[in-house]
Amino acid sequence: MIRKRTRTRAGGGTPAHGRLRAVLGATTTALLTVTALAALPQTTAHAAGTLGAAAAEKGRYFGAAVAANHLGEAQYAATLNREFSSVTPENEMKWDAVEPNRGSFSFSRADQIVNHARSQGMDVRGHTLVWHSQLPGWVSGLGASDLRSAMNNHITQVMTHYKGEIHSWDVVNEAFQDGGSGARRSSPFQDKLGNGFIEEAFRTARATDPAAKLCYNDYNTDGVNAKSNAVYDMVKDFKSRGVPIDCVGFQSHFNPNSPVPSDYRANLQRFADLGVDVQITELDIEGSGQAQATNYGNVVRACLAVTRCTGITVWGIPDKYSWRSSGTPLLFDDNYNKKPAYDAALSALGGTTDPDDPDDPGTPGAGCTATYTTAEQWGSGYNGKVTITAGSSPITGWSVDVTMTSPQKVLSVWNGSPTWDNSGNVMTVRPSWNGSLAAGASTSFGFTVSGGASPPPQVGACTAS
Ligand code: G2I
């Protein structure tokens, strides 16, 4: 059995690294004595240096999905502990993991995550109680009345085990169909119990742990569309009839085919206006470099713009452990280096990277600048030139992302060494021979583009090393 602890407010549990600064910036300030404040005045002078601490200063949590089998990896645990203030077990609380056979519960792997989180002062999101996927075969085989009692028993047993430990539960996950129908998804619960299974699950959940926030969680509901409209109508109906629901989770799995919608913030806001909290629950954005960073910054800013957006969870820590690792959708690369997306998320939260941290590649633009000019242009292409200038310190390397608009293609690059992202539109250029620059000194690289004389490329910030 896991150790019981006093609940902390979601967002109030912060990793050790940023805890003091986070507390000073949060609404709990009043709890600190005058002596404590006087003893630590300098802590407020710096912007927070981690995602969890920066989010806490905005009254929010910043979480990650965690897999129990990675906790033994030193860099994984160190990154988790340093950066995040909330965790979601990626698979360990799902039905097949905790109740593989009827009435026989196994919590050891989920307990491992919860114990780790609580020992670090982090909050925990519970994921998930009722979902059509990762459902053991015995559940699908039950008749209606047996299924109803199995569902209610599952909710009761799992929530009781973690009572007081979970800030928010995904009570029901992904119950709506994709596409334009707005219909419920076929599942053993839907097919045998009908629409009412969702409300029954929420009522059972409320009766079991009245202090936990109860969420409905789904994907492809991030913008205004037929699916999110259907969820919206359900939440509105629940609120009008007093069915207990506290929050809606927006998974936010984005890629080039499913980009961050332009009405993302507006969609979060319309749900918040129904009287529920909103949470970004499984964020990942495929891509790389500045384009990915811009998307992450936009998502963070959308949450901050909605008062009732209480926190953000990214769906994994390093790219290599993502459920879609080939799309490199996360904030840390395979070696746990912070990516430009990390810097963008942190800076959108009002934090800033610590220039004294030797592990930190730095905020884009901190040690060098990149400026673009079109050197020559003709009917169907152009030569572009990017000038790199070191800041007030010498540098030994630099990198810059250059994004072309399809169908433009880069034919050749000189005085720089390019690598390409999966889309083929973004090249990251590093030095070929010209990495070392004295303070204030410049170099440049050039490239030829075919497939259109305009628009000019988007040139990201320069990252120095
Ligand atoms: O699919 C992405 C997410 C969509 N929303 C609900 C989330 O719960 C879901 O998470 C993913 C996990 O990230 C994957 O890790 O859910 C998948 C299953 O639907 C998880 O994948 C499964 C594999 O399919 C299994 O083969 C594997 O045994 O992970 C299991 C544990 O590693």
Side-chain angles (χ1 to χ4, degrees):
M1 192 57 176
I2 55 170
R3 186 158 41 95
K4 297 293 176 192
R5 284 245 214 130
T6 311
R7 172 190 303 276
T8 53
R9 186 179 58 84
T14 56
H17 195 67
R19 187 172 296 128
L20 277 174
R21 280 173 288 184
V23 168
L24 286 169
T27 52
T28 48
T29 305
L31 297 176
L32 291 177
T33 63
V34 172
T35 320
L37 282 170
L40 297 163
Q42 72 281 15
T43 55
T44 53
H46 304 286
T50 66
L51 298 166
E57 290 189 350
K58 304 286 187 193
R60 288 162 171 86
Y61 65 86
F62 204 101
V66 164
N69 60 328
H70 301 318
L71 285 173
E73 188 183 324
Q75 277 187 296
Y76 183 92
T79 308
L80 169 65
N81 297 350
R82 186 186 71 227
E83 295 290 341
F84 296 98
S85 56
S86 171
V87 305
T88 305
E90 186 173 355
N91 288 297
E92 292 79 351
M93 282 186 186
K94 292 172 180 174
W95 197 316
D96 62 353
V98 296
E99 195 187 5
N101 298 298
R102 189 168 187 179
S104 156
F105 289 85
S106 113
F107 292 114
S108 55
R109 286 192 313 139
D111 284 358
Q112 219 186 313
I113 295 177
V114 174
N115 289 337
H116 182 98
R118 301 314 303 251
S119 75
Q120 296 291 322
M122 301 170 187
D123 291 309
V124 183
R125 285 195 91 258
H127 176 80
T128 172
L129 294 165
V130 181
W131 186 29
H132 66 274
S133 181
Q134 287 172 287
L135 193 61
W138 66 265
V139 183
S140 340
L142 299 176
S145 84
D146 246 5
L147 178 64
R148 168 169 286 115
S149 59
M151 179 184 85
N152 288 324
N153 184 55
H154 181 79
I155 295 169
T156 309
Q157 297 294 325
V158 178
M159 287 187 79
T160 300
H161 183 80
Y162 292 111
K163 196 166 178 171
E165 302 284 348
I166 305 281
H167 70 73
S168 308
W169 265 111
D170 290 333
V171 177
V172 175
N173 198 41
E174 302 175 5
F176 285 81
Q177 257 177 36
D178 285 321
S181 72
R184 309 283 162 110
R185 177 197 294 273
S186 167
S187 73
F189 307 106
Q190 180 66 35
D191 300 348
K192 291 172 189 163
L193 307 180
N195 285 353
F197 88 87
I198 302 182
E199 116 172 49
E200 182 160 348
F202 275 85
R203 290 189 195 280
T204 303
R206 177 69 94 229
T208 310
D209 185 355
K213 299 248 188 205
L214 307 181
C215 304
Y216 176 79
N217 189 50
D218 215 327
Y219 66 92
N220 284 354
T221 50
D222 310 300
V224 176
N225 57 40
K227 189 173 176 183
S228 68
N229 286 345
V231 176
Y232 180 90
D233 290 345
M234 177 187 76
V235 175
K236 192 172 176 191
D237 171 56
F238 279 15
K239 293 301 282 184
S240 75
R241 290 190 297 112
V243 178
I245 184 165
D246 306 305
C247 36
V248 176
F250 297 84
Q251 294 185 8
S252 306
H253 294 293
F254 297 122
N255 60 42
N257 295 324
S258 174
V260 183
S262 55
D263 55 6
Y264 189 55
R265 185 200 53 75
N267 189 47
L268 297 177
Q269 186 64 59
R270 72 170 175 149
F271 277 85
D273 291 343
L274 291 175
V276 288
D277 289 345
V278 295
Q279 301 176 358
I280 296 171
T281 50
E282 302 182 14
L283 177 63
D284 52 17
I285 308 176
E286 290 189 43
S288 64
Q290 195 54 43
Q292 183 181 47
T294 302
N295 282 323
Y296 264 101
N298 288 342
V299 168
V300 170
R301 279 185 287 275
C303 178
L304 294 180
V306 176
T307 309
R308 293 198 72 151
C309 182
T310 58
I312 299 173
T313 300
V314 287
W315 205 241
I317 301 176
D319 283 331
K320 64 181 170 183
Y321 295 145
S322 164
W323 67 294
R324 45 186 198 181
S325 56
S326 63
T328 61
L330 296 173
L331 299 176
F332 295 89
D333 72 15
D334 291 355
N335 298 313
Y336 298 91
N337 294 310
K338 297 166 181 174
K339 294 165 58 180
Y342 171 96
D343 293 310
L346 182 64
S347 114
L349 288 166
T352 168
T353 47
D354 179 354
D356 300 328
D357 178 354
D359 295 331
D360 194 328
T363 306
C368 55
T369 55
T371 50
Y372 172 77
T373 50
T374 299
E376 285 106 27
Q377 205 172 347
W378 53 92
S380 59
Y382 58 88
N383 283 335
K385 177 180 172 188
V386 174
T387 302
I388 309 290
T389 306
S392 51
S393 305
I395 61 173
T396 55
W398 44 264
S399 92
V400 178
D401 284 353
V402 183
T403 306
M404 260 61 58
T405 304
S406 179
Q408 292 174 342
K409 288 279 171 244
V410 173
L411 298 180
S412 61
V413 179
W414 56 94
N415 294 341
S417 164
T419 54
W420 297 90
D421 81 338
N422 292 338
S423 72
N425 297 326
V426 185
M427 64 172 181
T428 301
V429 183
R430 297 187 176 81
S432 38
W433 50 270
N434 44 354
S436 289
L437 294 176
S442 294
T443 187
S444 62
F445 65 86
F447 49 97
T448 299
V449 176
S450 69
S454 67
Q458 282 177 269
V459 177
C462 183
T463 303
S465 53

